[in-house]
Amino acid sequence: MTSTVADQTAEQSEPAPPARPGWPRRLLRAVGVQNISLVIALAVLVAIIGAQNSKFFLVTNIETIGTAVTVVGLLAVVQTVVMLLGGLDISVGSAAGLASVVSAMVFMSTHSAAIGILVALVTGVATGVFNGLVIVYGRVNAVIATLATYAGFRGLANLISNGRAQGYTGTDSTFVFLARGSIAGIPTLIWILVILALAVHLMLRYTDIGRNIYAMGGNATAARLAGINLNRYVVGCYIAAGLVAAVAGVLLTARTGSGQPTSGSQGLELQAITAAALGGVAMQGGKGTITGTILAVVLLGVLQNGLTILNVNSFWQDIAQGFLLVVAVIIQQRRRGLRAVGLP
Amino acid sequence: MSSDAAAAPRLAATELSKRFAGVQALRAVQLQAYGGEVMALLGENGAGKSTLLKILAGAHRPDSGTLSIDGERVSFSSPRDAHRAGVRIIYQEPEIIPHVSVAENIYVGALPARGHRFTRAALRARVVADLARYGFTSALDPDALGSELSPAQRQLVEILRALTESVRVIAFDEPTSSLSDTEVEVLFRLIRQLRDEGVAVIYVSHRMNEIFQISDRVTVLRDGALVGTVTTAETDEARLVRMMVGRDLTDMFVRERRPRPTGTPALTVRGLSNDDVHDIDLEVYGGEVLGIAGLVGAGRSELAHAIVGSTPVHAGEILVDGNPVRISGPRDAIRAGIGFAPEERKAQALLMQRSVRDNISLAILDRIRVARVVRRGEERAVAQRYTGQLRIRTPDIEQVVSSLSGGNQQKVVLARWLARRPRVLILDEPTRGVDVGAKAEIYAVINQLTADGIAVIVISSELPEILGLSDRIAVMQGGRVTGELDRSEATEERVLALAMAGDLTTDGATR
Ligand SMILES: Nc1ncnc2c1ncn2[C@@H]1O[C@H](COP(=O)(O)OP(=O)(O)OP(=O)(O)O)[C@@H](O)[C@H]1O
Ligand SMILES: [Mg+2]
């Protein structure tokens, strides 16, 4: 069937398909400009701190940094997924607190770490289901919904614990292993973060689930018209957030030796969001990588550790962190390079 | 041409060059636009037209070359500078603030105020006067909210914004692609008025008939380089096309006549109704192209959205190959074998921040995965195939879609659904913003699909396209199908008669 298109167009020419880019460009693309700037920032920071105090480079100090960032790192990784989807989860810190209390209380009454941890994880999943359903079926904006549950989960944690630290897990071998154990010389905490980060990274990069998450965050209408079940993804991502928050809560219990309704989990959500934004995850969704987030987590951890070993007032640490968040988002907006809204 | 046209040009660009990563978008382009004249800018998708306009608007800085206005060298480092010099560009997708009135949208940034108290009444009076001056009183309500405006009205707001300051050069980048014929008339009236007032007008469009209607001269670009400038009255379509593509294209596309298919239709729609469409009955057979014609606002896109379940449906049934299917969302439609490439590429189809490859493969991920892992090799192969076949102009398939030219972005949307190869494919304005050569490619691909037995529904506002491509034409008006024509009986007049059947109100076309 020949249409009378150009004598040549229809049949003759399958024009040479575009080539794959050369390797330097592919490498740049794979690593990303954002990540390169993070690596540079990290190197500068390490150089400055190391020059001031050589104790910074001790293996024990590096382990300290690693274990200190684990809880935030876990939450930042899962926050990345939620943000890629175009959402935000402010309730992760409160959910972690709730899970922390639950794990300790169940452990105290059953004397089984496994059951305590399991019930805590189920609690985490339940918080995620609740968030997801409110957002999807209540059609509530994600920020508002999780702001509400941020207060709600915290209230619940305080309610069941009477606002006090619960139980004592410091003698249970499972909890001790989680907090201070190691596998192949590397602390368990770091293993947990590395495994989660790697799994999420692979999921985002290589599976259709990951692609669909990016698609939804990039353009929800397009994603829906392409046959993606948006509701399922939203609920799924918030469940993942709840589950990981519960893991973080269990680790908090393990590290402090008791269930903590608020102390220890307060402010974690902000640190997680800061790390994700600093790592290049777009606030409007659809853009960002786990690599970037992890680099940002490490950067923030090094900053905090450095300021501590240099004896800087801890209030300055908060200021530095807030400053970094603003700078990160400003850079992000610049790089988007869109026409400013509102004209002219 | 006005008398001063022979003198210094209003706007002169010399040796403009602009390079983006991997692409030389402009190569030493010369351009002169004269006051009191409409100059059309023509070229294939990706030829550099929008880039040139963005340089004039101060949105991009050229790598080299100069700009001058009325003989005076200028250099814009921001759109503000360009505005001050009296240069305005009307982009295809204007930024409208949704929650404020038309009047405030027009005067945004320049609200008339006494001290810091801005007076709503004064503002409104001024906008009413502006509307009357340009003859838009019936087309635009100054109190309407930004969110209520049709694409045409949004564009009018953008134009009026430009006219609040004195303009010396105004450029339109494909302004008519989402306008109805009556709206195009309104726009042309305005352009002529501006021209008569001595403004230099630059007009970009892929529609040849418009170029011949409105322009005095035509400047043609190819691959970022200037091919030449000709006087419109002294040229014809074939010559312009040859300048654009560098070879001959044999006339219009004609689809081979084929016998009317029999048996079970691939898609049957019975009594479909929702808020926008009423009691629709349609049948499309495998191997057939059904064209859906109608004026803007006739409910054609709404029908497509209703069929794939992206808007709620109140009544009706849908059968694929004779089997009833339950569709409660686009996902169900795709599973039932119905694909839909929507009209608004940016809002409804593209992931602007993702690569060409990601965009093309989006609807086939479920087919090219093994245990949820996407087979990257196969994905790349599919993306390569369709970028080649549709001649998508991009340095490589990893390029982000936002950096492609408008027409090439459109081809990416099509590629996504061609790759899916559904049983029934609904294409809403598939050639919007696409150049003449690429249109022919797209028609050829549609032909190939039907030869393979796929049923295709094409919605288009361009009558020649509908008439050339369709085996049958359904005409819609006011959310209803007002008639169906076989291609042997279809003429422009008959289609238009059905499109306006019973439509006595004059503004029926402006929704
Ligand atoms: N921001 C950008 N980054 C990279 N390349 C770009 C960018 N903007 C434009 N290009 C490239 O420059 C070339 C010219 O694009 P331009 O948008 O000017 O084309 P056009 O003539 O307007 O085409 P169309 O008719 O499709 O609108 C294209 O190859 C395009 O991919
Ligand atoms: Mg363009």
Side-chain angles (χ1 to χ4, degrees), chain B residues 20 23 25 44-51 174 206 403-407:
Chain B
F20 295 109
V23 191
E44 287 182 291
N45 295 130
K49 306 178 293 295
S50 299
T51 304
E174 299 187 42
H206 289 292
S403 74
L404 262 54
S405 81

Side-chain angles (χ1 to χ4, degrees), chain A residues 1 3-10 13 15 17-21 25 29 205-209 211-212 214-215 219 221-222 224-229 232 286-287 339 342-344, chain B residues 83 91 108 161 247 249-250 252-253 258 310 330-331 334 342 346-351 354 357-358 362 365 369 372-374 376 379-380 384 388 391 396 398-399 417 440-441 447:
Chain A
M1 173 182 56
S3 49
T4 63
V5 184
D7 318 309
Q8 334 157 2
T9 44
S13 51
R20 281 186 79 182
R25 252 177 108 182
R29 266 175 183 160
R205 210 175 157 86
Y206 295 102
T207 69
D208 63 329
I209 302 172
R211 298 298 195 75
N212 290 346
Y214 279 107
N219 186 340
T221 308
R224 199 167 65 97
L225 287 175
I228 298 171
N229 185 340
R232 195 194 288 171
K287 202 157 177 259
R339 276 201 296 160
L343 288 178
Chain B
H83 292 177
Y91 293 103
V108 62
R161 256 182 205 160
R247 61 194 152 92
L249 288 182
T250 43
M252 266 310 291
F253 167 87
R258 41 181 58 246
S310 90
R331 184 179 176 75
I334 290 169
K346 256 191 202 160
Q348 304 182 328
L350 290 173
L351 315 173
R354 309 294 297 175
R357 169 178 56 77
D358 275 340
L362 185 64
L365 290 178
R369 68 186 187 192
R372 307 225 74 131
V373 174
V374 177
R376 311 259 266 179
E379 183 189 19
R380 264 200 295 274
Q384 298 275 20
R391 292 173 190 265
D396 58 71
E398 301 302 329
Q399 190 80 5
W417 292 102
E441 288 341 311
N447 254 347

Side-chain angles (χ1 to χ4, degrees), chain B residues 143-308:
Chain B
D143 300 317
L145 291 184
S147 55
E148 300 165 0
L149 303 180
S150 71
Q153 291 172 320
R154 298 163 76 88
Q155 214 156 36
L156 284 183
V157 169
E158 176 85 351
I159 294 169
L160 287 169
R161 256 182 205 160
L163 300 181
T164 57
E165 296 173 62
S166 69
V167 286
R168 295 201 277 179
V169 180
I170 191 165
F172 296 86
D173 197 355
E174 299 187 42
T176 52
S177 57
S178 51
L179 303 193
S180 69
D181 288 347
T182 41
E183 290 166 336
V184 172
E185 269 318 306
V186 172
L187 177 72
F188 280 7
R189 193 148 39 82
L190 172 77
I191 290 180
R192 293 195 182 101
Q193 189 175 343
L194 290 171
R195 179 194 63 194
D196 296 342
E197 288 173 8
V199 176
V201 181
I202 301 177
Y203 186 87
V204 177
S205 175
H206 289 292
R207 299 191 180 169
M208 288 293 181
N209 57 345
E210 291 177 355
I211 302 241
F212 283 96
Q213 262 182 61
I214 195 78
S215 73
D216 301 302
R217 286 186 312 141
V218 186
T219 294
V220 182
L221 294 180
R222 190 198 313 150
D223 284 335
L226 178 74
V227 179
T229 300
V230 292
T231 305
T232 313
E234 291 164 9
T235 188
D236 56 34
E237 189 169 329
R239 276 180 53 195
L240 287 181
V241 170
R242 203 175 314 128
M243 287 173 77
M244 256 171 78
V245 300
R247 61 194 152 92
D248 282 315
L249 288 182
T250 43
D251 216 32
M252 266 310 291
F253 167 87
V254 182
R255 187 174 151 86
E256 190 182 274
R257 241 211 93 79
R258 41 181 58 246
R260 172 127 191 210
T262 49
T264 315
L267 176 75
T268 310
V269 176
R270 281 198 204 123
L272 192 71
S273 294
N274 70 4
D275 291 345
D276 303 307
V277 297
H278 314 288
D279 208 18
I280 303 288
D281 291 311
L282 281 181
E283 284 182 348
V284 199
Y285 291 86
E288 186 186 43
V289 177
L290 174 72
I292 300 188
L295 303 177
V296 171
R300 296 164 302 168
S301 300
E302 288 78 359
L303 171 59
H305 279 277
I307 291 175
V308 300

Side-chain angles (χ1 to χ4, degrees), chain A residues 240-293:
Chain A
L243 180 63
V244 173
V247 172
V250 168
L251 295 182
L252 276 175
T253 302
R255 294 193 64 191
T256 57
S258 56
Q260 304 285 349
T262 48
S263 83
S265 58
Q266 207 151 18
L268 283 180
E269 59 286 310
L270 286 185
Q271 292 180 36
I273 295 169
T274 304
L278 191 60
V281 182
M283 297 309 279
Q284 28 315 84
K287 202 157 177 259
T289 59
I290 293 297
T291 317
T293 298

